[in-house]
Amino acid sequence: MKIRAAITGVQGYVPEYILSNAELEKMVDTTDEWITTRTGIKERHILKGKEQGSSEMGAQAVRLLLEKKGISPDDIELIICATATPDMLFPATANIIADKVGIKKGFGFDISAACSGFLFAVATASKYIETGAYKKVIVVGCDKMSSIVDYEDRTVSVLFGDGGAAILLEPDSTGLGIQDSILRSDGIGRHYLYQKAGGSMIPASHETVDARQHFIFQEGQTVFKHAVKSMADVSAEIMERNQLQSEDVAWLVPHQANKRIIDATAKRMGVSEDKVMINIQRYGNTTNATIPLCLWEWESRLKKGDNIILAAFGGGFTWGSIYLKWAY
Ligand code: UT7
């Protein structure tokens, strides 16, 4: 039988500090009522401490995953890190995580696809496994969104949180694992959700700092409209081309950007709310960590053979869905 990449372990990590809606009410002109009804978010975790980047959370998740699985770092052949907030522009955060956890016999690289990065990374990693040449690949999604959030901007500060989570992918020849993926991007989206300065086009300068150009800019409504349509379209498409009816789907694991986007996607798929993983109320949008954090929290309820659909939409624009059969 065909070799497929199966998820054989998952582990999340969120920092201790919790930023509640009540605390945000004291920082910007907002209310718990507005945040809850418009987004579904109640609180988010924030990474505190000097010189702590996304790799800190990614490394914690990978370390705990290796411990949990009883696997030596020497066995990991490839680590792909999905992040929109790399520790540095270069080298890749995957390399920093690999060094922190002692992965010395493999290689690593980052994938930058905003909130869809984790999906893109899983799809990429699965191809290495499917060739038969790779046996143990880690995909880690981690983001310290608080490092690019303007806590004077009410339209953005309420949305994001920090976190990391990692999965282990191994070959499966029994029909389980990743069955199909649909990935899309459209550069038109770069005008509606981005960080203006700090790259090669507009390097950091006193002026860019003064103009607050190192923070996330989002045209919320435009992104919202695209997200609702694209995430729902791609999730419906992957069901259709794999002849899946709504009752065949055990779980929908959507990117957690806004509860209303999640609800619209589930509705379009005909999947009832009890089959949708939602933890946005406790973490907010952790960008590349949302989907694996869900899998981690739901791990004990998942059954071998469960049909699971992952779906995401993010800056770029980027979006996609993955259909997999849970393997343990
Ligand atoms: O994960 C990456 C992809 N990102 C997304 O998927 C996010 C997509 N966008 C969204 O989720 C929503 O557009 C937001 C949650 C960002 C905003 O919700 P909205 O329902 O689209 O609100 P809006 O931008 O249309 O703003 C409505 C009103 C405005 O006031 P006026 O002009 O009607 O007086 C805003 O200024 O709400 C105001 N507003 C706020 N009020 C209180 C915006 N942010 C806040 C806030 N507290 N935090």
Side-chain angles (χ1 to χ4, degrees), residues 30 34 38 115 154 218 220-221 223 255 257-258 260-261 285:
T30 191
W34 190 97
R38 298 287 181 126
C115 293
R154 69 174 181 173
Q218 175 170 243
Q221 273 191 16
V223 178
H255 171 53
N258 188 318
R260 289 182 290 145
I261 299 173
N285 182 352

Side-chain angles (χ1 to χ4, degrees), residues 21 24 62 79 97 158 195 257:
N21 287 356
L24 272 163
V62 174
I79 174 166
I97 294 173
V158 302
Q195 183 184 328

Side-chain angles (χ1 to χ4, degrees), residues 113-226:
C115 293
S116 309
F118 183 78
L119 277 197
F120 285 25
V122 170
T124 304
S126 71
K127 302 301 171 199
Y128 282 86
I129 302 263
E130 284 167 18
T131 63
Y134 289 78
K135 304 277 188 278
K136 284 188 171 46
V137 176
I138 284 179
V139 176
V140 51
C142 51
D143 271 299
K144 184 184 173 187
M145 297 307 290
S146 61
S147 66
I148 54 169
V149 161
D150 183 351
Y151 286 100
E152 291 182 12
D153 177 356
R154 69 174 181 173
T155 68
V156 167
S157 56
V158 302
L159 303 175
F160 295 96
D162 301 339
I167 59 165
L168 179 66
L169 288 168
E170 294 182 272
D172 179 281
S173 305
T174 67
L176 302 171
I178 291 161
Q179 309 288 312
D180 195 10
S181 60
I182 302 175
L183 309 177
R184 300 267 187 271
S185 53
D186 183 348
I188 190 79
R190 73 189 190 281
H191 304 296
Y192 308 108
L193 177 50
Y194 64 107
Q195 183 184 328
K196 193 163 191 177
S200 57
M201 190 168 83
I202 309 177
S205 67
H206 286 293
E207 289 73 27
T208 62
V209 171
D210 290 345
R212 308 184 82 76
Q213 290 175 341
H214 294 271
F215 294 122
I216 300 167
F217 166 84
Q218 175 170 243
E219 208 176 290
Q221 273 191 16
T222 309
V223 178
F224 185 89
K225 279 180 206 147
H226 279 88

